[in-house]
Amino acid sequence: MRTEEDHVSDELNPAVPDSATAEGPETESEEPIKQRKNGLYPGVSDELSENMKSGWADTELRDLEPIPQAAETARRRAALSARFPGERLVIPAGNLKTRSNDTEYPFRASVEYAYLTGNQTEDGVLVLEPTAGGHQETIYLLPRSDRESGEFWLSGQGELWVGRRHSLTESEALYGIRAADVRELADALREATGPVRVVRGYDAGIEAALTDKVTAERDEELRVFLSEARLIKDEFEIGELQKAVDSTVRGFEDVVKVLDKAEATSERYIEGTFFLRARVEGNDVGYGSICAAGPHACTLHWVRNDGPVRSGDLLLLDAGVETHTLYTADVTRTLPINGTYSEIQKKIYDAVYEAQEAGIAAVRPGAKFRDFHDASQHVLAEKLVEWGLVEGPVERVLELGLQRRWTLHGTGHMLGMDVHDCAAARTETYVDGTLEPGMVLTVEPGLYFQADDLTVPEEYRGIGVRIEDDILVTEDGNRNLSAGLPRRSDEVEAWMATLKG
């Protein structure tokens, strides 16, 4: 629930604090409507107030079908219930965050909440109340903007300002969960008895209501369970990830087609081009797009994207579309801006490609999670020794981690609703765990020769290469979800030539 005072509308705001809002309109604690500072209207007349209360058509949505993943979210809640019998479980969506003054960042629901409900609206809270047979599930939401109090047109978060919310009845039909008014929840939680767990970090008001009922250790156990539950994707999730990847492939094609315009402007043209595809076909980008041209490719998370795009340089594009259900792709290609790799660029690119091939081949059920990383790193270390950049043997290089001067990062991570999914999982079930069918991970080796690295020949300096694909572990091996984008250097050049016409 919102813990701060509602942001004012463009003109007026009821300015009712949360305590008053929870009691409903026309309470003794409700403050009178006040004018926004520097607003153009001096107030609201009684006649206008009455006029705005009536004359509106019934817009309740009826015969709604459940969301596509309703069966999956129900199974996920059942697993959660079985894991924590007899305990009250509280999973908030989160609140709007201020960007500047009275504007907010676009809202994105917490992964834990969206994973369990499919709902994505701010201030929502899923509560599992313990019963003799398991749990009673309730999704607490803001109901539709109240017309009697004028909230729908006076509040900055009212219906006429930011759009219509679903009614509680509509929400029950969509999500298959009993729905209730979230403004009543904090008081109810303060009176709650028995063991409680909450997912922390998303809703300060809910956490304050539970402050004397929860412990950090118990709450972390809940967070870890929900993170590990996402390690193996169900069929719905795999389908969403494939959608995200397919849109991402089209986004990369869009970028190649406008590289001439990027050369005339900057990396931001590339960022904007990919973002257009993400917004047209999905919800957003899954993370800040890395549109790194020239030596910027050696900065692993270059998201400023304000540098020049020059013919003869490489473009490292690391980007992913996020679907409407919040599953993201994470794909990287390193492209010659003029369409053809130079001799040294091709030498480094082909080495990374060979390392990625070894890594992908190591992804299979029963393998250790670390195997694909070790396989890729072994190839990269071999190349660095072969090129005379580090003294061998290769086993010594790997034991001492000397290759990391130029490889820097791990070779992959789990992928899902977070680009670095399942991050709270226990080490023994993730990094030290075993691959199982349904897991989705990235394989993304790279070599980066910084522009100021005096330990390598000058021709290497300023070249950064990463190749990244999204890999599904199958029953008999793996499937490259992003195989729609070419990887081999000659195939990349042919693909770019076709797109450029």
Side-chain angles (χ1 to χ4, degrees):
M1 64 186 298
R2 290 175 68 91
T3 56
E4 71 279 9
E5 187 176 62
D6 282 342
H7 291 290
V8 294
S9 73
D10 205 32
E11 297 297 345
L12 297 167
N13 181 57
V16 182
D18 283 339
S19 60
T21 304
E23 297 168 12
E26 309 300 333
T27 64
E28 292 184 3
S29 61
E30 182 175 329
E31 296 178 3
I33 294 172
K34 62 182 180 182
Q35 181 184 7
R36 174 183 183 157
K37 186 176 183 180
N38 295 315
L40 295 177
Y41 288 105
V44 177
S45 68
D46 291 342
E47 289 80 3
L48 175 59
S49 178
E50 285 302 311
N51 177 275
M52 291 296 289
K53 292 178 183 179
S54 61
W56 304 100
D58 177 11
T59 59
E60 183 76 8
L61 302 177
R62 297 172 175 84
D63 301 321
L64 289 173
E65 295 293 326
I67 58 173
Q69 69 269 43
E72 284 79 7
T73 56
R75 284 195 291 269
R76 297 166 193 167
R77 294 192 301 273
L80 176 62
S81 173
R83 172 61 180 82
F84 298 104
E87 303 186 54
R88 181 176 284 102
L89 308 173
V90 182
I91 301 94
N95 314 129
L96 290 172
K97 290 182 170 59
T98 300
R99 181 180 185 272
S100 176
N101 188 26
D102 58 354
T103 62
E104 294 87 19
Y105 288 103
F107 179 74
R108 188 186 191 278
S110 75
V111 166
E112 294 87 351
Y113 175 85
Y115 178 75
L116 293 168
T117 67
N119 178 261
Q120 296 181 35
T121 56
E122 66 268 20
D123 302 331
V125 184
L126 173 67
V127 177
L128 273 63
E129 298 276 352
T131 64
H135 286 86
Q136 169 67 53
E137 305 167 350
T138 304
I139 186 170
Y140 288 87
L141 302 165
L142 286 170
R144 288 192 62 189
S145 299
D146 186 75
R147 293 183 184 268
E148 186 64 26
S149 70
E151 176 201 356
F152 79 110
W153 72 287
L154 293 172
S155 169
Q157 295 302 316
E159 186 169 309
L160 298 193
W161 288 98
V162 298
R164 181 187 187 277
R165 295 191 291 262
H166 283 298
S167 70
L168 298 181
T169 301
E170 291 168 352
S171 294
E172 289 183 348
L174 287 169
Y175 306 110
I177 314 172
R178 173 182 174 269
D181 191 336
V182 71
R183 295 172 297 184
E184 302 168 358
L185 179 59
D187 287 341
L189 291 177
R190 290 187 189 97
E191 301 300 320
T193 59
V196 184
R197 297 179 192 256
V198 64
V199 176
R200 300 190 181 201
Y202 298 115
D203 195 316
I206 291 298
E207 289 181 38
L210 294 170
T211 186
D212 59 341
K213 298 175 172 62
V214 296
T215 67
E217 181 180 9
R218 288 164 51 78
D219 292 347
E220 180 64 12
E221 288 175 352
L222 172 59
R223 179 169 173 258
V224 167
F225 173 81
L226 291 172
S227 194
E228 293 184 359
R230 302 198 306 277
L231 283 169
I232 298 177
K233 271 58 181 179
D234 57 39
E235 287 303 313
F236 175 85
E237 294 179 287
I238 293 169
E240 290 300 295
L241 286 167
Q242 187 66 69
K243 286 181 189 176
V245 169
D246 292 345
S247 289
T248 298
V249 168
R250 291 187 282 274
F252 274 65
E253 292 171 346
D254 296 339
V255 167
V256 171
K257 292 175 182 177
V258 300
L259 282 177
D260 58 333
K261 295 182 174 62
E263 287 186 58
T265 51
S266 75
E267 295 163 336
R268 292 199 173 176
Y269 202 96
I270 295 167
E271 178 184 346
T273 298
F274 187 84
F275 181 68
L276 177 61
R277 178 67 64 174
R279 286 293 281 167
V280 168
E281 295 191 0
N283 176 60
D284 207 329
V285 289
Y287 53 95
S289 298
I290 299 168
C291 308
H296 288 163
C298 299
T299 302
L300 299 185
H301 289 167
W302 177 261
V303 293
R304 299 179 201 173
N305 299 334
D306 57 1
V309 179
R310 298 188 179 98
S311 178
D313 283 347
L314 295 176
L315 167 67
L316 191 157
L317 178 58
D318 183 337
V321 172
E322 177 187 77
T323 66
H324 295 292
T325 56
L326 307 185
Y327 289 85
T328 184
D330 182 8
V331 178
T332 306
R333 290 293 183 271
T334 305
L335 311 172
I337 292 168
N338 64 9
T340 304
Y341 295 101
S342 70
E343 183 178 348
I344 185 63
Q345 290 169 351
K346 186 176 187 300
K347 173 183 174 179
I348 296 170
Y349 184 95
D350 287 350
V352 174
Y353 171 77
E354 187 177 330
Q356 195 201 26
E357 282 283 274
I360 293 174
V363 175
R364 58 183 179 273
K368 294 296 184 183
F369 179 85
R370 292 180 180 273
D371 286 353
F372 76 93
H373 168 72
D374 292 341
S376 291
Q377 290 294 300
H378 196 279
V379 172
L380 295 178
E382 286 178 337
K383 296 297 181 182
L384 293 168
V385 171
E386 176 187 323
W387 298 340
L389 302 184
V390 64
E391 183 180 349
V394 169
E395 288 68 25
R396 168 185 171 271
V397 173
L398 293 169
E399 181 182 356
L400 299 176
L402 301 180
Q403 83 284 2
R404 292 184 62 186
R405 180 182 179 102
W406 303 286
T407 66
L408 292 173
H409 56 79
T411 311
H413 52 80
M414 292 296 183
L415 184 67
M417 298 182 85
D418 281 325
V419 65
H420 296 147
D421 207 28
C422 314
R426 292 167 295 171
T427 301
E428 58 265 32
T429 62
Y430 187 163
V431 174
D432 292 338
T434 300
L435 295 180
E436 299 180 47
M439 291 182 171
V440 180
L441 59 141
T442 67
V443 178
E444 50 176 311
L447 283 173
Y448 313 91
F449 298 101
Q450 304 299 325
D452 59 350
D453 188 349
L454 301 181
T455 70
V456 301
E458 186 174 357
E459 63 177 351
Y460 286 70
R461 298 174 198 167
I463 295 178
V465 174
R466 180 164 66 251
I467 311 171
E468 177 181 19
D469 285 88
D470 302 341
I471 310 297
L472 167 68
V473 183
T474 62
E475 294 289 344
D476 57 358
N478 69 67
R479 174 158 58 93
N480 185 349
L481 300 179
S482 44
L485 281 177
R487 294 185 295 125
R488 210 173 64 202
S489 57
D490 60 333
E491 293 175 343
V492 170
E493 290 175 340
W495 170 72
M496 292 183 68
T498 300
L499 290 173
K500 287 184 172 186

